[in-house]
Amino acid sequence: MPSVQSLSDFELQQLLACGDEAAYNELYSRYAVQINRFMQKYLHASVLSEDATHDVFIKIWSKREQLKKVQSFKAYLFTVARNQALDHLKTAFRTESAINQISGVITEYRNTVEEDRLTKEYLLFIENVLTTLPQRSREIFALCREQGKTYDEAAKELGISRNAIKNHMVLTMKVLSSKVETELGISLSVLLAVVFKH
């Protein structure tokens, strides 16, 4: 069997899902530094960030069986990290001034490279899910979500009824919602807010 260093993230996550500690250690070595930097953007304290990083990987290990269904380990990992950071903030800060400070940190964070990377991961995830849908559904999703057209505008452009547009969008959103909740552990509305924010 090849060494764990030569395996892809997907191969490692499948091994980890079965309890392979070597795979876990390799994924930790690949991502711990990135997750720590990610945490510092939220927590602004190295000690808190290190603790939160450890908590993220503990959670990954404790819920390792879920990785069997995950399409992108990195997107899943950063989702867990974001939730963990917010949990730390909720626990650490209670006052109004602290809440304002947290809001400022999160606003600042939205412009960081880490979120850009996460957004790209989410976009790739959406694209992979969309490839399983009919061509017409993908086309309609692109018009309504990516280009911001109304159902009426999309119907006019494609020469089909508004009801047909709606039916395609309902199907697409159902498939996306199921995949996002199962594989990323977040709601579809959260993912779309990140990807299609203005």
Side-chain angles (χ1 to χ4, degrees), residues 132-144:
T132 67
L133 296 172
Q135 172 65 30
R136 180 63 94 181
S137 294
R138 297 201 299 271
E139 192 176 5
I140 290 169
F141 181 86
L143 287 173
C144 295

Side-chain angles (χ1 to χ4, degrees), residues 170-184:
V170 167
L171 168 66
T172 300
M173 300 308 268
K174 278 183 179 178
V175 173
L176 274 174
S177 181
S178 175
K179 288 282 188 181
V180 168
E181 289 178 10
T182 301
E183 299 185 20
L184 298 182

Side-chain angles (χ1 to χ4, degrees), residues 20 26 51 71 87 97 105 121 132 141 148 156 169 178:
D20 190 305
E26 175 60 21
D51 287 345
Q71 194 173 43
D87 285 345
S97 61
V105 170
E121 290 284 340
T132 67
F141 181 86
K156 185 176 180 181
M169 283 299 289
S178 175

